[in-house]
Each structure stands twice: as structure tokens, then as C-alpha cells.
């Protein structure tokens, strides 16, 4: 079987020069990379705790740019086609994921998972959507009308509640995708985009919006501590606003407020319930 390094070199060369896609070897490397993504043999991003460097940056995740390059090249190789799923008809370049029963995952109609996304055994997709390059861990639920964008990495035991929008980050290839680590609870209508990392067992209350530039303010101590691009582990987060002066006057702009921590002394289920009760976080 072709090794990862040989796949990488062929994909990177084809991304630099699209004419190389005419070569059977380069085309096969792209197709094999997407197949490996679909089977969970490759991931767009992986946690690397050896990369700890200190500071506030979400540095624990390594993005494999060449895998994202393969996804972009795959779009170039695919033509539009009609696909049918029972009474439903689709017209697209990327087929739907197959073999869900063998994989031990549950997808409720009309939920859709694109080929090239991977769901671990025990994952559940209600009538939601999982895009190519995404990874969803075991025991996680993508609830009704929740979407998991391209290349997003969703950990194990995560609940994405109704209407959650996890953004896709496909370009530029080197950009980190959205990362939702193990045990996170994401409340209804939350939006997480632009490579934000939500660390283990955090709770995002309904309506929180997190972008790379969103101020995430820890207000639990005597002074505000500001984070950007990262929600620290076990944080309980709600929507907030803060004043900002513009030429036309002072206005309130959105931010996110860390109002507490889930207890380390309790398991995830008990801790989640306690967080919602103690801090009155709507979900």
C-alpha cells in the first residue's frame, strides 16, 4: 500500500501544478487520500501534546495542510452527478458516505454525511450535516439542523445541540480547522468558526458566537482575563456584550463570558447538569 509520505509528496506536487492531475499516479494519490479520510485512516488535524509551548495559543493541534490540499484537488477531479437516496435526489460533486451500518453509526433521515468525512462507531447524526474532511468521535451527537463544516474535528462524547453551526475551514490549506475537544456541550444555535478551539468538557450556552477575533472574557476573578481563539477546558461560557467607542458614539459589541468552571470532581454528565443549574446557562 502507498505510504502516507508518498501520498503527501504526490498531492503536494499536484497542488502546486494542477496539470499533474492528468498523471494516473497523482490522481490516484488524491483519491486514496480521500478514501483514507473516509475510513478514518487519516485526519486533517491531530492533537499533539508534545507541541506545548505555553501562552494562550491553542497549540496542541497539528494541521496537515496536504490533506486539505487533497480535498481541494478532489473537487477538481469530480464532475457533477445525480444521486438518489430513496425519494430524495441530489445533484453534486461529492457522493454521500456509505456503509453506515457496518461502521456502527446512526444517521437519521434526512441527515447527510459526505464521503470523505469520518464518524467513529457510536456517533449519531440527527437531521444534520457533516461535510468532507470532518471527524466526529464516538458517543457524539450532531443534533437536528446542526452542521459540521469541512475539516472540523469533533471529539468524543460531544453534544452539538439543535441548530449549532460548526464552520468549515478548507482554505488556506494551512489554516487550523475548528476543534471541539472531548466532552464538550455546545448549546442551541451556537456558532463556532475560523479555527477556534473549544477545549475538553467546556459548556457553550445557547447563542454563543465564537470567531477568531471574538473576545472570550473570563469574569470569574477580580480582574478580567481575555482569551481569543480558544475556550479553556471545562469553562462555562455564555453570550455577552461589552462597550466600544466609535466615532458615532459608544455601542455594545458581542463577546463571550466565562462565568465558571465545570467541576473536576464529578463526571461529565453530573458536571454538565450542575453547570447548567448553578450558572443558569440556557441550552
Amino acid at each position: 500500500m502507498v505510504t502516507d509520505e508518498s501520498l503527501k509528496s504526490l498531492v503536494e506536487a499536484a497542488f502546486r501544478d494542477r496539470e499533474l492531475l492528468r498523471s494516473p499516479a497523482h490522481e490516484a494519490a488524491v483519491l486514496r487520500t480521500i478514501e483514507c479520510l473516509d475510513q478514518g485512516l487519516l485526519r486533517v488535524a491531530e492533537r499533539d501534546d508534545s507541541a506545548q509551548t505555553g501562552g494562550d495559543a491553542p497549540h496542541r493541534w497539528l494541521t496537515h495542510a496536504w490533506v486539505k490540499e487533497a480535498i481541494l484537488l478532489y473537487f477538481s477531479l469530480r464532475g457533477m452527478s445525480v444521486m438518489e437516496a430513496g425519494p430524495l435526489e441530489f445533484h453534486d460533486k461529492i457522493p454521500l458516505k456509505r456503509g453506515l451500518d457496518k461502521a456502527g453509526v446512526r444517521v437519521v433521515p434526512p441527515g447527510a454525511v459526505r464521503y470523505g468525512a469520518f464518524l467513529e462507531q457510536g456517533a449519531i447524526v440527527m437531521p444534520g450535516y457533516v461535510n468532507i474532511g470532518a471527524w466526529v468521535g464516538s458517543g457524539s451527537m450532531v443534533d437536528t439542523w446542526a452542521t459540521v463544516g469541512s475539516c472540523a474535528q469533533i471529539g468524543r462524547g460531544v453534544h452539538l445541540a439543535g441548530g449549532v453551526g460548526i464552520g468549515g475551514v478548507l482554505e488556506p490549506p494551512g489554516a487550523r480547522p475548528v476543534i471541539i475537544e472531548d466532552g464538550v456541550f455546545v448549546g442551541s444555535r451556537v456558532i463556532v468558526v475560523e479555527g477556534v478551539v473549544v477545549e475538553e468538557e467546556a459548556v457553550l450556552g445557547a447563542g454563543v458566537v465564537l470567531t477568531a477575533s471574538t473576545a472570550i472574557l473570563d469574569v470569574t476573578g477580580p480582574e478580567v482575563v481575555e482569551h481569543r481563539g480558544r475556550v479553556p477546558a471545562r469553562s462555562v461560557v455564555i453570550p455577552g456584550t461589552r462597550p466600544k467607542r466609535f466615532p458615532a458614539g459608544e455601542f455594545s459589541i458581542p463577546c463571550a463570558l466565562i462565568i465558571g468552571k465545570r467541576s473536576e470532581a464529578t463526571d461529565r454528565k453530573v458536571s454538565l447538569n450542575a453547570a447548567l443549574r448553578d450558572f443558569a446557562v440556557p441550552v
Side-chain angles (χ1 to χ4, degrees), residues 19 43 51 76-77 96 112 133 141 145 147 193 196 238 268 278:
E19 289 298 313
R43 292 179 65 166
S76 299
L77 290 172
L96 295 174
M141 173 179 282
W145 309 136
T147 58
V193 297
V196 170
I238 64 171
R268 289 175 179 172
D278 293 346

Side-chain angles (χ1 to χ4, degrees), residues 38 97 99-108 111-113 117-130 134-143 148 153-160:
D38 190 73
K97 188 174 182 66
L100 301 176
D101 55 342
K102 184 178 180 181
V105 300
R106 178 185 175 198
V107 179
V108 178
V113 181
F118 178 71
L119 278 63
E120 273 196 323
Q121 184 177 5
I124 300 172
V125 179
M126 299 301 282
Y129 180 73
V130 181
W135 193 97
V136 180
S138 62
S140 291
M141 173 179 282
V142 180
D143 218 330
V148 178
Q153 305 292 294
I154 309 299
R156 299 183 173 105
V158 171
H159 188 161
L160 304 180

Side-chain angles (χ1 to χ4, degrees), residues 11 31 34 40 43 55 64 66 81 88 92 102 109 135 154 159 176 190 197 206 222 225 229 241 248 262 269 280 283:
V11 167
L31 297 178
I34 305 305
R43 292 179 65 166
H64 301 300
W66 72 272
S81 63
L88 303 178
D92 190 25
K102 184 178 180 181
W135 193 97
I154 309 299
H159 188 161
R176 184 183 60 246
V190 167
V197 176
V225 178
T241 62
R262 291 170 74 172
K269 182 175 180 181
V283 296

Side-chain angles (χ1 to χ4, degrees), residues 44 68 71-72 75 114 129-135 147-154 164-173 175-180 191-196 210:
V44 166
K68 293 171 75 175
I71 295 172
L72 292 167
F75 281 98
R114 252 177 163 184
Y129 180 73
V130 181
N131 208 346
I132 187 171
W135 193 97
T147 58
V148 178
S150 54
C151 304
Q153 305 292 294
I154 309 299
V164 163
I166 303 298
V169 182
L170 191 50
E171 295 184 273
R176 184 183 60 246
V178 174
I179 308 288
I180 309 294
I191 297 173
V192 186
V193 297
E194 296 178 351
V196 170
L210 299 177

Side-chain angles (χ1 to χ4, degrees), residues 32 55 58 73 116 126 143-144 146 154 165 168 176 200-201 206 240 246 250 260:
R32 177 56 182 160
L73 292 172
M126 299 301 282
D143 218 330
T144 304
I154 309 299
R176 184 183 60 246
E200 294 176 349
E201 300 186 13
F246 296 90
E250 187 174 276

